[in-house]
Amino acid sequence: MTDNKLINLINISKSYGDNVVLDELNLYIRENEFLTLLGPSGCGKTTTLRIIGGFENPDKGQVIFEGKDITKLPPNERQLNTVFQKYALFTHMTIAENIAFGLKIKKKSKDYINDKIKYALKLVNLDGFENRMPDSLSGGQQQRIAIARAIVNEPKVLLLDEPLGALDLKLRQDMQYELIRLKNELGITFIYVTHDQEEALTMSDTVVVMNQGYIQQIGSPEDIYNEPQNAFVADFIGESNILPSIMIEDKLVNILGTSFACVDTGFGRNKPVDVVIRPEDIDLVKPEDGIIKGVVTSLLFKGVHYEMEVNANGHDWLVHSTDLVPVGNEVGIWVDPYDIQIMNKPESEDEEAVELDI
Amino acid sequence: MKLFNITNTKTNSSSNKNGGSSLGNDKVKWLSLPYIVWMIGFIILPLLVIIYYGLTSGNKLKNLFTLGNIRLILDPTNFKALRLSLELSLISTLICLLLAYPLAMILSRSRMKSNNFIVMIIILPMWMNFLLRTIAWQNILERTGIINTVLNFLKLPTLNIINTPLAIVLGMVYNFLPFMVLPIYNVLIKIDKDVVAAARDLGANSIQTFLKIILPLSIPGVISGITMVFVPSLTTFVISTILGGSKIILIGNVIEQHFRVGNWHAGSGLSIVLMFFILVSMAILSKYDKEGEGGSLW
């Protein structure tokens, strides 16, 4: 991955009537990056993708591709291809004709097209499907054909709009591996749109968390998960305890009346903050060994772990643990300092918007 | 308003099927009885009667099977009428198609709330009596009609449209245009927007997208539109009577004349010939129109 900015979105705004979908969005995508736009429905992620693809025109702002302004360029003149959510295969054509569509438009030779069809079908593990019709294929197979149809055109960027959304869980997980493999074999840039945080964390180099037309956080999957910048990100990515707290001084935070050691500095003294603690980062210990004491109020078996709620300091703490503590038992709660993530309270207008949604 | 969503009937019938299974098969059979009686009484029996009359002579002494009534079509006057009917209905169908496709296209593209309103305007004339509409055209086209009055007023040469094939084509196009617009519109709005976007994405410009994607995908609607305009145009005798005077005789007029004078055998024989042409176009319809676009209009 280089630092070369392949696509640069500058001050993109888009609204439908009174509904503002994107507001002054700025984002760049590096060459050979797997970038995921992640957010709940209506957050503007699909609109962003459609603006990059050329299917929507932004009201304001520019789309720069390899240094050139392509904002006004129609989709057929852009060097990128899209994989649509519901496959969008041409049902009146065979699989081979579907894959050849873009190449025939570009007037490639017959031999070249046939080679490409073979290559693409092999790449998506569907050799021998040339003469089948799209309707006779399963959802997963159709989506692979849609990917094959896009990549034979050798785009610099592949746009994927919730491509796994219509598939069942097992297939979705298999396809995640397929997509990572494809990305590595092709060596091109993927821009992926999803509302599924697990998909985003599994596949991406960079995750862009969006809500209500604003970018909430950009970072690696680890950054996004371990160091969410605000309550929305913390809540949307995985499960978490979000606790209103007061930063007493550097490396010391008062959570619900009890002081916890942490590693964060620079927030000032006696400043109200939000604290995120992931449920798997809470250790249940003997009551006398914990930082605070609590009582287990509910217990669910989730397979890999138990999900428990522990009432302590007047708050139900969500805890994931492989150790079982029966309901009603008293336990101690222990959190390692580096597992406490401190976030500023929302101040700016866009972050306020987030608050309303939670 | 769901008035215009002709394809809805399909989903309705399938939901009926689901509902029916819970009712039990016996009840469903019993409920369909009136329909079966209707079909036998008003569709099957009349058809059999026509076939019987068409294939027999009126001679009571030797009421023999004969192809004489069918052979009447080879009579030069009748043959000419059939040829003219075929020509005029083909021309009308073509004009309807050329008018209806762009209209359906514009309608399907516009995402306005007024969409249903525009579709209603297209359907509105169909709520008026067919005869009234055709007689209105007679008044407009007449030698002393509205068009010529205006032309006279402007000191322009008058037009002689009434009682010409042109007047009949005009009447056919006017009366049957909605039957072309609606099936095409229905098939166009069902084309996934992303399929069109995918074609653009893969490098096709808007003309290529139309020719390679939209047009092929809309063929079922076009085929049923063609059939639904062609069949009534081919069999009409009202339009040719009102707008063609007695000068232009279509095959429908010939058949009507035979029935009017009580010549049931000749009328039935020619009807069978006409039915042959209709069956051929229906066969084409069922071959291409697997979705059943607009077939439910009948």
Side-chain angles (χ1 to χ4, degrees):
Chain A
M1 192 163 54
T2 64
D3 272 350
N4 194 1
K5 289 180 189 176
L6 186 64
I7 297 175
N8 203 351
L9 303 178
I10 303 169
N11 285 329
I12 299 282
S13 295
K14 175 80 185 172
S15 44
Y16 298 104
D18 293 339
N19 184 16
V20 179
V21 183
L22 296 175
D23 194 5
E24 301 274 320
L25 180 119
N26 284 286
L27 176 68
Y28 63 85
I29 296 121
R30 283 184 293 250
E31 210 167 317
N32 212 357
E33 188 174 24
F34 195 130
L35 179 131
T36 299
L37 301 172
L38 174 68
S41 54
C43 73
K45 56 189 192 299
T46 296
T47 307
T48 307
L49 193 81
R50 293 182 75 88
I51 285 171
I52 298 172
F55 307 115
E56 303 273 1
N57 286 317
D59 301 334
K60 270 197 303 189
Q62 285 175 298
V63 183
I64 309 291
F65 183 75
E66 292 189 313
K68 272 174 271 168
D69 187 344
I70 60 161
T71 317
K72 296 273 187 307
L73 220 57
N76 49 319
E77 290 171 30
R78 299 189 182 200
Q79 283 190 1
L80 27 84
N81 286 110
T82 309
V83 176
F84 293 89
Q85 183 172 13
K86 285 183 188 137
Y87 329 133
L89 294 179
F90 307 132
T91 48
H92 59 297
M93 297 181 186
T94 64
I95 296 306
E97 285 167 340
N98 264 280
I99 295 173
F101 187 85
L103 301 173
K104 277 186 187 157
I105 297 268
K106 292 187 192 78
K107 304 225 162 28
K108 301 283 186 190
S109 76
K110 231 181 191 150
D111 289 342
Y112 178 85
I113 292 176
N114 285 338
D115 285 351
K116 272 287 185 185
I117 293 172
K118 276 227 171 69
Y119 161 78
L121 284 176
K122 207 176 171 70
L123 203 59
V124 296
N125 289 329
L126 288 174
D127 319 61
F129 277 64
E130 283 90 343
N131 296 320
R132 299 272 291 270
M133 294 305 279
D135 286 348
S136 71
L137 268 57
S138 71
Q141 290 171 333
Q142 288 191 42
Q143 194 54 279
R144 287 167 199 226
I145 297 301
I147 293 167
R149 184 179 67 175
I151 59 179
V152 289
N153 300 287
E154 298 178 352
K156 295 218 167 119
V157 182
L158 193 64
L159 309 177
L160 301 110
D161 183 8
E162 306 216 16
L164 311 184
L167 307 179
D168 62 57
L169 181 68
K170 185 76 182 70
L171 207 53
R172 215 156 57 213
Q173 287 168 342
D174 291 346
M175 284 295 287
Q176 287 177 19
Y177 291 108
E178 290 271 311
L179 283 172
I180 295 168
R181 179 181 64 81
L182 264 175
K183 163 84 177 55
N184 293 335
E185 276 183 44
L186 294 167
I188 58 171
T189 308
F190 275 34
I191 304 177
Y192 193 95
V193 161
T194 184
H195 62 266
D196 185 320
Q197 42 110 0
E198 190 211 312
E199 252 173 57
L201 297 179
T202 311
M203 295 191 286
S204 320
D205 300 318
T206 306
V207 179
V208 178
V209 184
M210 293 180 72
N211 191 35
Q212 304 203 343
Y214 295 96
I215 292 176
Q216 303 296 328
Q217 188 171 358
I218 304 177
S220 70
E222 289 87 349
D223 286 346
I224 297 279
Y225 189 84
N226 292 327
E227 284 158 40
Q229 274 168 15
N230 61 40
F232 173 79
V233 177
D235 191 54
F236 192 73
I237 312 286
E239 289 178 281
S240 55
N241 295 288
I242 300 172
L243 310 158
S245 311
I246 292 163
M247 197 73 186
I248 297 167
E249 54 181 56
D250 281 355
K251 302 191 179 184
L252 190 67
V253 61
N254 183 304
I255 302 171
L256 301 166
T258 306
S259 289
F260 282 73
C262 64
V263 294
D264 296 75
T265 56
F267 282 87
R269 284 175 162 269
N270 295 321
K271 178 132 191 295
V273 290
D274 280 328
V275 163
V276 175
I277 303 172
R278 295 289 178 191
E280 67 272 23
D281 291 335
I282 296 174
D283 298 321
L284 296 181
V285 292
K286 284 183 202 148
E288 58 274 18
D289 292 344
I291 301 172
I292 48 175
K293 275 184 209 151
V295 177
V296 178
T297 55
S298 92
L299 174 73
L300 286 172
F301 178 58
K302 290 282 194 177
V304 180
H305 56 77
Y306 294 97
E307 181 179 299
M308 283 168 276
E309 279 188 63
V310 179
N311 190 288
N313 285 11
H315 181 86
D316 284 326
W317 300 60
L318 188 69
V319 181
H320 289 174
S321 170
T322 48
D323 301 323
L324 180 145
V325 183
V327 174
N329 278 31
E330 197 173 54
V331 288
I333 287 178
W334 174 268
V335 187
D336 287 325
Y338 50 82
D339 283 332
I340 294 175
Q341 165 69 11
I342 314 279
M343 305 179 302
N344 277 313
K345 286 269 191 196
E347 280 166 5
S348 63
E349 191 191 327
D350 54 334
E351 283 175 50
E352 287 290 357
V354 172
E355 278 289 281
L356 296 173
D357 200 44
I358 297 170
Chain B
M1 192 155 36
K2 280 283 170 204
L3 249 182
F4 319 118
N5 208 344
I6 293 161
T7 48
N8 260 5
T9 42
K10 209 185 152 202
T11 30
N12 285 346
S13 65
S14 62
S15 61
N16 281 351
K17 227 178 273 167
N18 296 340
S21 58
S22 62
L23 270 174
N25 264 336
D26 287 347
K27 264 186 192 166
V28 172
K29 269 182 198 160
W30 196 82
L31 281 172
S32 66
L33 193 66
Y35 185 63
I36 290 167
V37 170
W38 171 274
M39 286 223 299
I40 291 170
F42 294 95
I43 299 172
I44 311 265
L45 277 181
L47 258 177
L48 289 175
V49 170
I50 287 174
I51 291 168
Y52 171 77
Y53 273 104
L55 295 178
T56 54
S57 69
N59 194 328
K60 277 194 179 153
L61 289 175
K62 38 175 190 171
N63 197 358
L64 276 177
F65 172 79
T66 172
L67 287 175
N69 300 319
I70 308 271
R71 253 187 244 120
L72 274 178
I73 197 64
L74 298 173
D75 176 272
T77 337
N78 295 343
F79 190 73
K80 213 179 121 202
L82 177 66
R83 210 180 62 188
L84 187 64
S85 287
L86 283 168
E87 278 170 11
L88 293 187
S89 44
L90 278 174
I91 291 167
S92 305
T93 309
L94 192 68
I95 293 172
C96 278
L97 181 62
L98 293 178
L99 289 175
Y101 205 103
L103 179 60
M105 194 90 181
I106 293 163
L107 276 177
S108 69
R109 289 267 176 106
S110 66
R111 282 278 152 266
M112 293 178 294
K113 275 178 187 163
S114 56
N115 232 4
N116 265 351
F117 177 72
I118 299 170
V119 178
M120 196 179 84
I121 287 179
I122 294 167
I123 295 200
L124 203 62
M126 286 161 65
W127 294 353
M128 254 176 286
N129 186 285
F130 175 78
L131 278 174
L132 270 179
R133 278 181 281 150
T134 312
I135 290 168
W137 270 109
Q138 189 185 30
N139 283 318
I140 292 168
L141 298 175
E142 259 176 352
R143 273 175 227 294
T144 54
I146 293 167
I147 290 181
N148 282 340
T149 312
V150 172
L151 288 174
N152 261 330
F153 182 76
L154 297 170
K155 307 262 189 265
L156 290 168
T158 55
L159 286 175
N160 215 351
I161 300 176
I162 195 80
N163 300 346
T164 64
L166 178 63
I168 295 176
V169 169
L170 199 106
M172 287 175 175
V173 170
Y174 178 77
N175 278 311
F176 302 131
L177 185 63
F179 294 101
M180 185 69 90
V181 176
L182 293 179
I184 297 176
Y185 171 74
N186 271 318
V187 85
L188 284 179
I189 54 167
K190 280 209 291 187
I191 295 176
D192 186 353
K193 293 270 168 301
D194 277 350
V195 169
V196 178
R200 296 301 306 268
D201 183 74
L202 293 166
N205 60 34
S206 45
I207 296 165
Q208 288 167 321
T209 306
F210 175 76
L211 291 177
K212 289 178 184 241
I213 306 297
I214 299 173
L215 190 63
L217 286 174
S218 67
I219 287 297
V222 172
I223 295 287
S224 51
I226 287 173
T227 313
M228 290 204 295
V229 173
F230 181 70
V231 171
S233 300
L234 185 63
T235 54
T236 187
F237 61 89
V238 175
I239 293 173
S240 47
T241 305
I242 297 173
L243 297 177
S246 53
K247 287 179 183 148
I248 295 163
I249 310 288
L250 297 185
I251 190 69
N253 299 85
V254 176
I255 294 169
E256 189 226 358
Q257 280 305 316
H258 280 298
F259 280 121
R260 189 169 284 224
V261 299
N263 193 349
W264 294 66
H265 298 277
S268 301
L270 290 173
S271 296
I272 291 172
V273 174
L274 202 48
M275 236 182 285
F276 169 76
F277 283 93
I278 292 166
L279 282 175
V280 168
S281 67
M282 279 296 179
I284 295 168
L285 171 80
S286 62
K287 191 181 166 195
Y288 286 91
D289 185 17
K290 285 168 196 142
E291 297 272 310
E293 272 336 302
S296 48
L297 254 191
W298 285 95

